[in-house]
Amino acid sequence: MPIADVRARVPDEVEIEEHDGSAWLGIVFFRVRALRARGALPVPGISSFLQLNVRTYVRGPDGLPGVWFFSIDASNRLAALGVRRIYHVPAFHARMALEPAGGWYEAECVRVGEPGRVFSGRYRAAGESFHAEPGSLEWFLTERYRLFAADARAEIHHDRWLLSPTEAEIELASIAPFALSGAPHCHCAFRQDALIWPPEPIAS
């Protein structure tokens, strides 16, 4: 994406990162399982849900890379409310589905209360799994350990992603804050465990 389009929606405190001369927009659809606070058990009813986040790739004032969230949609209303209050991310309740169908996975997200904010598509793995090489686009998109939103940041820890090349057909992506064009660059992963720390102010 043109960096000027992204810059207009991201505060000056964070730097928009480029790869191959462009800013990038990520749409990540996944299922959360066994979400819990440290030392606690998962809470029935709010610990497992579907989530879609729309992100770009940035560096903070200290030069460390991370992701900037434009939005997070969750199939659980309480989860969306918690993300919004704790991490200061624009988070929304959505009707969502992720189901296998004829060798594909069909994914759909329709934001509640905002007609036209929709993601709909399907995907399937199309190659051997691999770990991204440093310097590659896949590394740029996935090996990030900090999130930024509004006036807060939070540290994230996870193992390196085990990615699979993926064939995808996108019908609608109006969930994004920009009009998108061109073929998507897609990967999928079977599982990723993650730890997320409480938010703290963005240092200047």
Side-chain angles (χ1 to χ4, degrees):
M1 294 198 61
I3 192 169
D5 291 352
V6 180
R7 177 76 277 169
R9 294 177 177 266
V10 176
D12 292 338
E13 288 82 359
V14 293
E15 172 192 352
I16 308 298
E17 279 205 276
E18 295 179 273
H19 193 279
D20 292 335
S22 295
W24 287 77
L25 186 80
I27 299 178
V28 183
F29 199 125
F30 59 98
R31 188 183 303 276
V32 177
R33 288 192 173 97
L35 177 69
R36 61 185 178 87
R38 184 176 181 179
L41 294 174
V43 177
I46 63 170
S47 61
S48 297
F49 53 92
L50 295 173
Q51 185 187 123
L52 180 150
N53 66 62
V54 181
R55 59 172 69 184
T56 194
Y57 304 90
V58 301
R59 286 185 179 270
D62 56 7
L64 293 178
V67 294
W68 173 272
F69 287 114
F70 292 111
S71 64
I72 289 177
D73 287 81
S75 61
N76 185 287
R77 184 179 59 83
L78 291 178
L81 182 61
V83 168
R84 180 183 286 269
R85 287 187 173 179
I86 296 171
Y87 289 98
H88 305 176
V89 177
F92 306 93
H93 183 212
R95 296 189 300 273
M96 304 177 69
L98 181 62
E99 301 292 342
W104 295 75
Y105 277 91
E106 296 186 346
E108 185 171 284
C109 174
V110 179
R111 186 174 295 168
V112 173
E114 291 193 32
R117 291 296 185 186
V118 177
F119 177 85
S120 180
R122 65 178 189 163
Y123 71 92
R124 61 184 177 187
E128 295 295 323
S129 298
F130 67 97
H131 287 111
E133 293 293 330
S136 67
L137 176 59
E138 290 79 12
W139 180 279
F140 172 87
L141 296 173
T142 61
E143 296 305 321
R144 293 177 178 268
Y145 300 91
R146 180 176 288 178
L147 66 84
F148 295 92
D151 56 354
R153 69 179 189 188
E155 305 297 319
I156 307 169
H157 173 76
H158 56 74
D159 291 334
R160 291 176 63 191
W161 284 88
L162 184 61
L163 302 169
S164 294
T166 300
E167 181 181 355
E169 298 176 355
I170 310 300
E171 295 182 19
L172 288 170
S174 57
I175 203 81
F178 308 97
L180 305 179
S181 61
H185 186 82
C186 300
H187 294 84
C188 65
F190 174 70
R191 173 175 175 158
Q192 180 64 290
D193 295 329
L195 300 173
I196 305 177
W197 272 257
E200 57 188 41
I202 297 176
S204 58

